[in-house]
Every structure is written in structure tokens, then in C-alpha cells.
């Protein structure tokens, strides 16, 4: 009996998320097929992640578990991509879950559109209070690199989410996840995909449920300003020369993101400083109403 060549490598990086790992792995293995492989990359977990993962390895021949010393989520993603045998990689965060039938949807799209290098699906955001919101992807138009970069980074009219995007492995080898970033490591990769991928397809079919929770790395504000500046560097390192003129505006946008996080945490003095910095860098970005209304409340409160 011959086995099918691997089409999709599902890569699950994880760090101390043993309490969520069963949910993620069950959602993947419940729709298994011969053209899939699953790679679990343990980024130095100190909980019982290894025990849980090994239980799946013992039951499923196409499941691989690897352990690495703690190096961050980007390094774990890159490790998984380097081991992958599939033509495509489906990165699934270990606190998320695939929708039943999602892999069949992605497989069918690959077969129907052989030249597609990226496929973006819808996802459901699940909040700690039980609320859910379905988020549909926006079609990616054929545009010049500068225009499409502006639409993604500055206008936020294009969005991607881990766990609901299928990516040609060769592209991830060309532009690995930046390992110095503790969070948001997918943004430089997505920016690169927009200006490089031969074809990006979207589907309104829901691919994943993405769980929001307070202990997510997305909410970690340690060294936030230095990391924001590192993000700017990483994003523009992978973009062509015609996009470089957007760099200052994107730096302002990163400060606006810091501003919003500080407002959320009622860190008013820091929020004011971040907004002033964004305004100095790019009034065009900082004077968008979504930010101005927050700034008005902040500067004129009390």
C-alpha cells in the first residue's frame, strides 16, 4: 500500500499550554488523512505538555513531537517549518482549535487553484466571557507592493490570523518568523507574503476558533516599546525598496498600538507619551478618528 505525499504540515508550537493542548490536537486529528502530518514543537515547557504530546505520538504514526530549549514562539514556528515535509504549512496555535472540516476546505482550494501560495479562511474569535464573533477575510486585490503594504500595515483593511491561514512552505523558508520578537512575529511574515506570494486566495469558510484569554502573550507589555521598534525593523527588512517610504508612518502606527494598550490598562501617563510620539512621527496616522477620540478622553479627563 502506498501512502499519499504530504500536502499539509500542521505545525503546533506550544509553551506551557498543556491545559489547552488536548483541544487543539483533537480538533486536528479528528479530520485526519494520509496527506497530512502534525508537528508539535514544545518550546521548553515546564508543565505536562510533553506527557500530553507523547500520548498522541504513541497513538498516531503521523504525529511528531520535538522539544527545544525555550527560545520563543517564532523559533518554535521556524523549527516546525524546517521539519515539515508538506507543500503547505498550516500553523495552529496550541490554544486555538480547527473547525471540523477545515482541512477538507483548504485541500479542495489547493486542488482547485494549484497556483495559490496562500489561502486565508474566516475564523471565530472566542472571548473569555463566552462571546463569539465571526471574522471574514477581506479579498486581497492585485496591487503594487507599496499600495498593498499600506492597505495592510497602515489602513488595516487586510487582516490575517494564525490558525486560519495556509502558507506555501517555500515562502516560510524564504522569510522565517523573526525570532527576536516575543509576540506579533507573524506580522513581518504576512507583510512579506502580500508582496511576494504568486496568488492569495480567501474563503468565507470558517477554519479555526481563536481563543482570547488574559495570559496570552498578546497581552504581555514587558519591553513593549523596544519590541515595537524591533517589529518595525523586521517588517521593513523583508519589503522591497518602494515600500521603505512607509516606514515612519508604520512606526507611528506601532506607537498607536502601544497607546491603545496603555489606555486599556489605564496607564495614562504612558498612553499620553505614546500618543505624542505617534503624532510627532505621523500626524496622518495619529489623527485618525479611532485614535483621536481616545486621545481626547485621555488628555481632557480630570
Amino acid at each position: 500500500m502506498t501512502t499519499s505525499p504530504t500536502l499539509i504540515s500542521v505545525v503546533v508550537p506550544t509553551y506551557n499550554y498543556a491545559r489547552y493542548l488536548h483541544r487543539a490536537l483533537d480538533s486536528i486529528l479528528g479530520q485526519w488523512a494520509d496527506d497530512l502530518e502534525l508537528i508539535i514543537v514544545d518550546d521548553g515547557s515546564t508543565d505536562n505538555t510533553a506527557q500530553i504530546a507523547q500520548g498522541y505520538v504513541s497513538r498516531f504514526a503521523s504525529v511528531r513531537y520535538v522539544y527545544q530549549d525555550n527560545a520563543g514562539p517564532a523559533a518554535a514556528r521556524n523549527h516546525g517549518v524546517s521539519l515539515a515535509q508538506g507543500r503547505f504549512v498550516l500553523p495552529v496555535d496550541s490554544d486555538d482549535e480547527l473547525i471540523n472540516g477545515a482541512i477538507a476546505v483548504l485541500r479542495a482550494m489547493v486542488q482547485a487553484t494549484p497556483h495559490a501560495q496562500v489561502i486565508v479562511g474566516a475564523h471565530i474569535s472566542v472571548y473569555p466571557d463566552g462571546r463569539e464573533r465571526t471574522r471574514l477575510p477581506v479579498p486581497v486585490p492585485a496591487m503594487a507592493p507599496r499600495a498593498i503594504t499600506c492597505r495592510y500595515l497602515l489602513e488595516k483593511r487586510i487582516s490575517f490570523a494564525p490558525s486560519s491561514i495556509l502558507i506555501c512552505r517555500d515562502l516560510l523558508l524564504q522569510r522565517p518568523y523573526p525570532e527576536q520578537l516575543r509576540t506579533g512575529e507573524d506580522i513581518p511574515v504576512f507583510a512579506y507574503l502580500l508582496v511576494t506570494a504568486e496568488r492569495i486566495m480567501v474563503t468565507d469558510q470558517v477554519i479555526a476558533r481563536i481563543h482570547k484569554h488574559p495570559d496570552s502573550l498578546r497581552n504581555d507589555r514587558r519591553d513593549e516599546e523596544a519590541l515595537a521598534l524591533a517589529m518595525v525593523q523586521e517588517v521593513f527588512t523583508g519589503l522591497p525598496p518602494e515600500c521603505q517610504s512607509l516606514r515612519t508612518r508604520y512606526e507611528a502606527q506601532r506607537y498607536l498600538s502601544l497607546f491603545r494598550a496603555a489606555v486599556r490598562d489605564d496607564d495614562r501617563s504612558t498612553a499620553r507619551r505614546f500618543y505624542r510620539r505617534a503624532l510627532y512621527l505621523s500626524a496622518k496616522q495619529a489623527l485618525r478618528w479611532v485614535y483621536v477620540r481616545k486621545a481626547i478622553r485621555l488628555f481632557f479627563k480630570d
Side-chain angles (χ1 to χ4, degrees), residues 1-16:
M1 177 178 178
T2 59
T3 58
S4 302
T6 303
L7 178 66
I8 297 173
S9 299
V10 185
V11 175
V12 181
T14 187
Y15 173 68
N16 284 347

Side-chain angles (χ1 to χ4, degrees), residues 135-235:
R135 300 181 181 272
L136 302 178
V138 176
V140 178
M143 302 176 73
R146 189 182 188 281
I148 199 72
T149 298
C150 185
R151 183 169 288 207
Y152 172 53
L153 294 177
L154 303 176
E155 299 171 3
K156 296 185 177 293
R157 293 166 62 189
I158 297 173
S159 63
F160 301 118
S163 304
S164 62
I165 182 170
L166 188 70
I167 306 169
C168 180
R169 178 174 178 264
D170 288 345
L171 291 177
L172 291 175
L173 293 174
Q174 294 169 23
R175 203 321 170 197
Y177 293 94
E179 298 187 6
Q180 67 166 314
L181 298 182
R182 186 177 64 240
T183 185
E185 70 281 355
D186 48 355
I187 295 175
V189 173
F190 293 160
Y192 177 81
L193 295 177
L194 279 172
V195 301
T196 305
E198 182 176 341
R199 189 168 185 182
I200 299 177
M201 301 291 293
V202 302
T203 174
D204 287 346
Q205 293 287 326
V206 176
I207 300 301
R209 290 165 58 88
I210 296 179
H211 293 264
K212 313 289 185 179
H213 45 88
D215 59 345
S216 169
L217 287 174
R218 301 181 186 96
N219 299 318
D220 188 347
R221 292 184 56 202
R222 291 174 298 164
D223 304 320
E224 59 183 346
E225 188 169 5
L227 288 170
L229 296 176
M231 173 74 76
V232 176
Q233 175 65 31
E234 287 291 347
V235 165

